[in-house]
Amino acid sequence: MMNETLKTIADLRSVHGDFSEKEIGTEDLQTILNSAVRAANASARQSYSIGAVEDSDMMKKLCGYTGSKLLLFCVDYNRIMDMARHLGHEFETNGIVSFITGSTDTVLAAQTAAIAAKSLGIDSLFSNGIHRGDPERVYELLDIPRENCFPMIALVLGYTREEPEYKKGRITTGVIHFDKYSRLTPGEMDQLVKEYDDPSRHLTLTEGWRHGFEHYLDWFYAKWSGKGDTQAMYRVLGKTGFLENSGAATAE
Ligand SMILES: Cc1cc2nc3c(=O)[nH]c(=O)nc-3n(C[C@H](O)[C@H](O)[C@H](O)COP(=O)(O)O)c2cc1C
């Protein structure tokens, strides 16, 4: 049975920057933000912050895309630490464990925002463009604290200029495992290769792969999947303190 919630989720899809001039109203933005913070969060402490950006030049500088609004979802313990100090307590993050927990809080809030937006007829684009080039600029542009804060994902919001002809497909083979984990068999892998090549499934990132490659996945592995600049990311993460190994075993 398709209820309204399932229909909203089934209608989700990315608009790759081609948003119309139509602006999102203040009330709708507030509804989206209020919905985002409804997401589950570890220890009820909401270890994230959300930056709402309205200036399109700023959006472009941050992630390369513009829309009516951009929400920047950051893993962030600064508010929690400030509050602790305010009350005369100490609160320290627990390195990578806090980072993983905070990341979980952060992306749950982000996806909840995307679903809420869609339910209001507002489309979205998640972009990790904030990590391309030197991620340091994101901190500088928005005055984000260097320590205990990491911009995780940008969500660009807006009204679509035109409805796309199709929605991207998804695979479930090898993705969903009932009971025990099971690796794909060679037969299942051959079948998946065919599914990616089937234009009616719309599983591919681009149709451009058809020029010069036998299979989409040949293009994906040989041309698309690179390593990127991990050094810049380690530099930024190093400054956050989330990579420090305190060895402290605290409950999360
Ligand atoms: C972490 C993340 C980063 C993404 N970054 C970009 C991006 O920079 N540019 C873009 O056009 N799409 C980006 N996307 C959107 C994906 O390409 C898109 O979700 C995927 O192709 C499936 O399409 P659909 O969302 O329309 O179903 C990103 C999605 C996620 C979750």
Side-chain angles (χ1 to χ4, degrees), residues 131-229:
H131 301 151
R132 281 192 275 276
D134 189 356
E136 286 280 340
R137 76 181 180 290
V138 177
Y139 287 83
E140 277 155 23
L141 286 166
L142 298 178
D143 264 343
I144 294 170
R146 294 287 158 151
E147 291 180 22
N148 304 301
C149 186
F150 177 74
M152 180 62 87
I153 190 78
L155 179 65
V156 184
L157 296 169
Y159 292 91
T160 185
R161 209 175 278 286
E162 57 184 58
E163 287 302 322
E165 286 163 29
Y166 59 85
K167 283 203 299 287
K168 284 260 175 78
R170 296 288 193 270
I171 60 162
T172 52
T173 312
V175 174
I176 298 168
H177 304 256
F178 287 102
D179 300 322
K180 281 192 180 169
Y181 189 98
S182 61
R183 304 291 276 255
L184 294 174
T185 63
E188 285 171 328
M189 287 196 249
D190 286 341
Q191 182 55 34
L192 268 185
V193 170
K194 282 197 194 120
E195 287 187 40
Y196 276 102
D197 292 347
D198 178 354
S200 72
R201 292 291 314 275
H202 302 299
L203 288 170
T204 64
L205 196 55
T206 163
E207 281 300 303
W209 71 270
R210 292 189 192 274
H211 307 291
F213 289 89
E214 193 185 352
H215 301 297
Y216 168 73
L217 290 176
D218 291 328
W219 173 86
F220 176 80
Y221 292 118
K223 282 275 171 201
W224 181 254
S225 307
K227 277 214 150 71
D229 181 4

Side-chain angles (χ1 to χ4, degrees), residues 12-17 63 65 107 111 124-132 152-154 164 166-170 202-205 224:
L12 284 173
R13 49 128 171 89
S14 304
V15 168
H16 299 272
C63 77
Y65 296 95
V107 294
Q111 177 68 1
S124 59
L125 176 72
F126 278 110
S127 176
N128 54 3
I130 49 171
H131 301 151
R132 281 192 275 276
M152 180 62 87
I153 190 78
Y166 59 85
K167 283 203 299 287
K168 284 260 175 78
R170 296 288 193 270
H202 302 299
L203 288 170
T204 64
L205 196 55
W224 181 254

